[in-house]
Amino acid sequence: MPETRNKVECAHCCAVLPDGNTSPCPECGKKGRRISVSVAGEIDFAGHVTWEKRREFYERKPLALVTVIAITAGAPFLGLVLVGWVGVIAGLMLGAVAYWIGPLAITKVREIERGG
Ligand SMILES: [Zn+2]
């Protein structure tokens, strides 16, 4: 990320003033400031190249994944075994379990390496 720097100078005698200073210039006593904004980081004086390597992949957790698949595939069959409100409640509970396990089954891993 480029870094911006504000340089505050007196508009009359070019003395460097502290950033945020609104009082008159301590050198010449006049008011009037000149602010120059410089962006550091875009020009690399040292000549070396900055680099960034990103690697994104999905890490699978086999046990959690199998559980989620089993719940997802098995939930509709609960209606065959459990009739009425028991089946509804059991289905909701399994749905909640799948909801919590789901994010664990497949985790997005992001590796960022920087150099320069
Ligand atoms: Zn001045």
Side-chain angles (χ1 to χ4, degrees):
M1 279 291 287
E3 184 188 342
T4 56
R5 286 199 186 90
N6 291 353
K7 190 184 176 191
V8 184
E9 289 175 324
C10 174
H12 304 280
C13 69
C14 293
V16 178
L17 305 175
D19 200 359
N21 183 23
T22 52
S23 54
C25 172
E27 297 292 325
C28 67
K30 291 177 185 172
K31 278 194 173 183
R33 300 182 306 152
R34 187 166 56 207
I35 302 170
S36 61
V37 180
S38 61
V39 179
E42 288 195 335
I43 304 162
D44 194 350
F45 292 103
H48 57 238
V49 180
T50 57
W51 55 272
E52 185 179 287
K53 192 171 79 178
R54 282 172 186 258
R55 198 158 70 99
E56 285 187 350
F57 58 94
Y58 290 93
E59 193 181 60
R60 289 182 181 82
K61 306 251 171 65
L63 186 67
L65 196 63
V66 164
T67 311
V68 171
I69 290 168
I71 289 170
T72 309
F77 294 99
L78 272 175
L80 290 172
V81 186
L82 303 167
V83 186
W85 284 106
V86 181
V88 173
I89 291 164
L92 283 172
M93 284 172 69
L94 280 179
V97 170
Y99 177 81
W100 288 109
I101 295 178
L104 300 173
I106 301 174
T107 312
K108 194 177 188 182
V109 180
R110 180 181 291 169
E111 287 181 349
I112 301 173
E113 284 180 71
R114 283 195 180 88

